[in-house]
Amino acid sequence: MSVLTSIARNIEDLENLGGLRGTDIANITDVSKATVSRWRTGIIKPQPRKEMILSDLHYVVGRLQDYYTSEEIRTWLHARHPQLDGERAIDLINAERTIEVLRVLDRLDSDGYL
């Protein structure tokens, strides 16, 4: 049995809990699907910026799973949101603007409307 790296565990969580596919993760991090596969197997490690994007995405998915199913999380991440000025959460996470996504989630935690 192989020991999963923290990156591999995060990718597994993104797929299982967030309903994301390897292609989604590749698109969000601006890498190829093959690169995501190599991260998953531990052949290579992501560059620091890509690792930060994965970490932020993992955190957001963890917050969303309190409210949504994995399929709904994937949809939520890809949808344009009025609360994000019509932008998509995945684009903001990629642009290192995760804090804007987290503000929307904070409103959800406060029983706000999403």
Side-chain angles (χ1 to χ4, degrees):
M1 180 177 200
S2 65
V3 177
L4 290 177
T5 65
S6 62
I7 295 299
R9 279 192 306 273
N10 282 355
I11 291 170
E12 190 174 274
D13 286 349
L14 291 173
E15 292 172 339
N16 294 331
L17 305 174
L20 297 173
R21 301 176 186 115
T23 304
D24 295 321
I25 297 167
N27 289 337
I28 294 166
T29 55
D30 284 332
V31 299
S32 70
K33 188 176 174 188
T35 297
V36 172
S37 180
R38 288 193 285 272
W39 291 343
R40 183 185 292 110
T41 59
I43 293 172
I44 61 171
K45 289 179 62 174
Q47 295 174 347
R49 181 178 183 284
K50 306 298 183 186
E51 192 168 352
M52 185 195 68
I53 292 168
L54 285 172
S55 177
D56 283 358
L57 182 60
H58 186 263
Y59 182 72
V60 168
V61 165
R63 297 266 314 263
L64 287 169
Q65 76 180 35
D66 290 339
Y67 302 99
Y68 301 114
T69 67
S70 61
E71 184 178 307
E72 291 169 331
I73 290 171
R74 183 177 185 278
T75 300
W76 194 94
L77 290 168
H78 283 85
R80 295 194 178 276
H81 293 279
Q83 300 87 355
L84 295 172
D85 295 325
E87 295 188 76
R88 301 178 321 155
I90 58 168
D91 296 331
L92 294 176
I93 292 168
N94 177 274
E96 299 179 36
R97 294 169 52 199
T98 304
I99 194 72
E100 294 171 51
V101 178
L102 295 176
R103 285 186 193 124
V104 172
L105 296 178
D106 287 343
R107 287 195 298 269
L108 180 60
D109 288 341
S110 301
D111 296 322
Y113 171 76
L114 281 188

